[in-house]
């Protein structure tokens, strides 16, 4: 859907009843699905066309959801048709008008179809396991009781459930979901990673003893059809999913949960609208008049600030649900380790701890947030590194694929391709990626059973579930992963966790770099010692004096927050100012540069009237991605509407001058400055 059209309605019922109806309409030579967003009788200078068909069963989307579209369009400065396409993708509409094909019966496991269907239409849970008795701890019970106050009667209230790793936040969500369902309301649960969906689905299905629907980008075509059919029929009472689940057209919500609310994956950073699912959840909670629970062991600085200011109600859980203590943190100075054993990937203390865990029949998790084998390959003859021709970025060496790959656009060349500068064929691998660590682990711990969890190893449908199942069953004893291993996993036999490079991400030109690093370290550390035994965490660093590590050493979120909030206030960054990132892109560097400066002049003119501080213009730190040069202007304002007004005024003034080869996009509340 790229334009708005008017169509004659030949129906007897009042026009207002057709709002939200799903229809088929003629568009040029095609017939396409759409939704009636507005109704009226304007005078038009062109002939209208009749609606061809209404969806079977008069399927429609809720009126509240139509309000959501308009809010998204205004807040994120995105045309309404583009918002509609993001919220209700074409596959979610097409099946309504397509003949239903008879499904071929398949044996379990045949081409993965039976496993796929289980995510949408699970087998009936045995009665013995249907409603397990999970008795809350005192802290969990207090949190449940506090949120339940907003269900008698239902009213909007935001709760920050700040519970340490292992404190049992999921059990709180389960009990609250049961209460909302008992009152005849629906439940929406948001998760930061698709890999967490099967684990959470299983827990919700067993506890609630009713269908729970998954919504995320890895669903098969069959899963999508069944899911959307349930939504349109009003049968999807519990939806669990990643970021896009926040957009689904469900009404009568009684509870919204955003687990790991601090996670950056809730922000849509590529295509417009560039929404944040966490903020969208708050808007929908206010609209539905229901409680919203934001859960995290390491809340976003802005979220914790709102809780301390009384905007959100703060609920804290300081003890692990199993009664175990928080893991002991060990800082390993890799400078000293380098003197002892050279450029080894694993320090002596970490290697010994893993060996001890394996000997005791336990498991270990190792974390390195860097894909591939080496950061780049350097020619031995001339020292040149192979770069992506479409992005200003080095190609990353992936040994398993024997390729040099760009992590921004996907471009790749064979690993043994000759140097473009001197035609040399001998290379040096610079830096360490997760594949290199995996290779090293296999040498140190032969036969231990090592599984790797990253984007490359989980590219197929069900890939993440299979890897996690091997580890949880005990078939594998070492789990090596990127940030996917840091979130929400509960492995009873893991008492050792190693962060291979605790300095990763600290040198980025982004004011949130320290916060992200602290959150990742704390989250991955929380996987250790959740059940039996003493948890031990080893942070390998070349900068042991870094204050951030001192906070991690004592699990001191409050101390980290105090230091970070003082820095934010001094620099006038969120939560003290709201941000609007304006991005100008094009394939001609000189044109983008000129356009950037002209637009910045227009924006600064109106920014002065709106109390908006302007930083830039300047090219982005990642100057070129996918053949597009990227320039940025950052606005810092007291309120979103002031930033939006200044941007829209500048856009209107600049439109007549805008070169056709460049685009201007706005990102309200950006998470990344890169």
């Amino acid at each position: 859907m790229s334009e708005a059209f008017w169509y004659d309605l030949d129906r007897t019922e009042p026009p207002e009843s057709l709002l939200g109806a799903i229809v088929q309409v003629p568009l040029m030579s095609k017939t396409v699905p759409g939704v009636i967003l507005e109704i009226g009788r304007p005078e038009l200078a062109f002939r209208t066309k009749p609606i061809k068909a209404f969806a079977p069963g008069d399927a429609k989307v809720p009126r509240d959801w139509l309000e959501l579209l308009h809010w998204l369009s205004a807040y994120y400065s995105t045309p309404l048709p583009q918002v509609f396409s993001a919220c209700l993708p074409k596959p979610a509409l097409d099946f309504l008008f397509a003949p239903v094909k008879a499904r071929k019966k398949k044996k379990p496991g045949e081409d993965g179809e039976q496993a796929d269907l289980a995510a949408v239409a699970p087998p009936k849970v045995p009665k013995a396991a249907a409603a397990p008795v999970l008795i809350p701890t005192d802290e969990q019970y207090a949190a449940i009781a506090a949120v339940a106050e907003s269900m008698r009667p239902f009213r909007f209230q935001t709760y920050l459930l700040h519970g340490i790793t292992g404190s049992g936040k999921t059990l709180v969500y389960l009990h609250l979901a049961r209460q909302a369902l008992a009152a005849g309301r629906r439940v929406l649960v948001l998760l930061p990673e698709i890999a967490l969906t099967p684990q959470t689905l299983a827990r919700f299905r067993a506890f609630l003893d009713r269908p729970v629907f998954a919504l995320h980008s890895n669903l098969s075509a069959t899963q999508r059809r069944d899911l959307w059919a349930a939504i349109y029929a009003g049968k999807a009472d519990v939806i669990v999913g990643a970021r896009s689940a926040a957009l689904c057209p469900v009404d009568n919500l009684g509870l919204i949960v955003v687990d790991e609310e601090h996670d950056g994956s809730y922000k849509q950073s590529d295509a417009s609208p560039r929404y944040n699912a966490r903020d969208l959840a708050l808007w929908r909670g206010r609209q539905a008049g229901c409680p919203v629970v934001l859960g995290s062991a390491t809340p976003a600085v802005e979220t914790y600030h709102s809780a301390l200011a009384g905007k959100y109600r703060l609920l804290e859980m300081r003890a692990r649900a199993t009664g175990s203590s928080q893991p002991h943190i060990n800082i390993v100075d890799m400078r000293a380790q380098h003197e002892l054993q050279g450029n080894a990937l694993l320090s002596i203390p970490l290697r010994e701890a893993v060996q001890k865990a394996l000997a005791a029949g336990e498991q270990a998790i190792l974390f390195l947030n860097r894909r591939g084998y080496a950061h780049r390959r350097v020619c031995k003859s001339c020292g040149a590194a192979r770069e992506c021709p479409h992005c200003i970025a080095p190609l990353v060496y992936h040994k398993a694929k024997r390729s040099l790959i760009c992590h921004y656009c996907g471009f790749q060349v064979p690993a043994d391709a000759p140097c473009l500068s001197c035609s040399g064929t001998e290379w040096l691998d610079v830096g360490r990626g997760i594949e290199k660590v995996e290779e090293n682990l296999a040498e140190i711990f032969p036969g231990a059973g090592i599984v790797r969890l990253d984007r490359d190893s989980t590219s197929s449908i069900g890939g993440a579930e299979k890897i996690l199942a091997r580890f949880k069953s005990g078939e594998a004893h070492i789990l090596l992963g990127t940030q996917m291993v840091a979130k929400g996993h509960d492995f009873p036999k893991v008492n050792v966790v190693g962060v291979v490079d605790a300095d990763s991400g600290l040198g980025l030109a982004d004011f949130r770099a320290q916060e992200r690093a602290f959150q990742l370290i704390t989250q991955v550390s929380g996987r250790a010692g959740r059940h039996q035994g003493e948890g031990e965490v080893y942070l390998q660093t070349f900068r042991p004096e870094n204050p951030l590590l001192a906070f991690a050493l004592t699990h001191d979120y409050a101390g980290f927050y105090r230091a970070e909030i003082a820095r934010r206030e001094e620099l006038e960054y969120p939560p003290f100012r709201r941000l609007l990132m304006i991005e100008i892109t094009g394939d001609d560097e000189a044109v983008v540069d000129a356009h950037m400066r002209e637009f910045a002049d227009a924006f600064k003119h109106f920014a002065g009237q709106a109390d908006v501080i302007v930083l830039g213009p300047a090219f982005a730190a990642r100057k070129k991605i996918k053949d597009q040069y990227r320039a940025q202007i950052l606005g810092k304002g007291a309120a979103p509407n002031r930033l939006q007004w200044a941007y829209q005024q500048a856009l209107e003034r600049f439109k007549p001058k805008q070169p056709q080869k460049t685009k201007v996009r706005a990102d309200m509340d950006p998470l990344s400055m890169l």
Side-chain angles (χ1 to χ4, degrees), residues 336-418:
Q337 289 294 310
H338 187 273
E339 294 179 5
L340 290 173
Q341 56 174 350
N343 195 29
L345 300 181
L346 264 62
S347 63
I348 295 173
L350 177 55
R351 196 163 63 240
E352 291 178 346
V354 173
Q355 185 64 64
K356 183 178 178 182
L358 297 179
E362 298 174 350
Q363 295 173 302
I365 292 178
L366 299 181
F367 168 76
L368 178 63
N369 202 27
R370 189 176 292 277
R371 292 166 54 210
Y373 187 84
H375 301 181
R376 61 186 183 276
R377 299 200 101 186
V378 175
C379 176
K380 280 187 177 181
S381 300
C382 69
R386 192 71 180 264
E387 288 201 342
C388 176
H390 308 290
C391 309
I392 299 181
L395 296 177
V396 177
Y397 176 37
H398 285 248
K399 190 173 184 178
K401 298 180 179 179
R402 297 297 303 163
S403 297
L404 301 174
I405 303 175
C406 176
H407 285 181
Y408 297 103
C409 72
F411 172 83
Q412 56 183 293
V413 296
D416 56 0

Side-chain angles (χ1 to χ4, degrees), residues 478-535:
I478 299 176
L479 174 62
L480 171 65
T482 57
Q483 61 182 354
M484 295 175 73
V485 305
K487 307 166 186 176
H489 302 294
D490 187 3
F491 302 113
K493 292 186 177 181
V494 171
N495 285 327
V496 173
V497 166
V499 178
V500 178
D501 184 3
D503 304 325
S504 178
L506 291 177
L508 298 177
D510 191 320
F511 76 91
R512 285 194 172 94
Q514 290 276 111
E515 178 183 20
R516 290 196 190 99
F518 177 80
Q519 288 168 340
L520 262 179
I521 290 172
T522 303
Q523 291 286 339
V524 74
S525 298
R527 301 312 109 199
R530 295 168 71 96
H531 291 268
Q532 298 177 353
E534 290 288 331

Side-chain angles (χ1 to χ4, degrees), residues 235-252:
K235 297 179 180 178
D237 290 334
V238 185
I239 293 179
V240 175
R243 178 178 62 226
S244 60
L247 301 172
C248 66
V250 293
D251 60 357
N252 196 32

Side-chain angles (χ1 to χ4, degrees), residues 10 12 17 22 73 113 115 218 260-261 323 409 460 485 573 581:
D10 185 18
T12 56
S17 67
I22 300 172
S73 176
E113 182 69 12
N218 267 10
E260 310 291 5
E261 65 84 27
C409 72
S460 62
V485 305
Y573 275 115
M581 179 70 79

Side-chain angles (χ1 to χ4, degrees), residues 222-266:
T222 302
Q223 288 175 305
R224 291 181 190 280
R225 182 190 64 200
D226 292 351
L227 166 69
W228 288 102
I231 290 175
Y232 296 139
K235 297 179 180 178
D237 290 334
V238 185
I239 293 179
V240 175
R243 178 178 62 226
S244 60
L247 301 172
C248 66
V250 293
D251 60 357
N252 196 32
L253 286 168
L255 174 69
I256 302 175
V257 171
V258 185
D259 193 30
E260 310 291 5
E261 65 84 27
H262 65 276
D263 200 280
S265 62
Y266 284 125

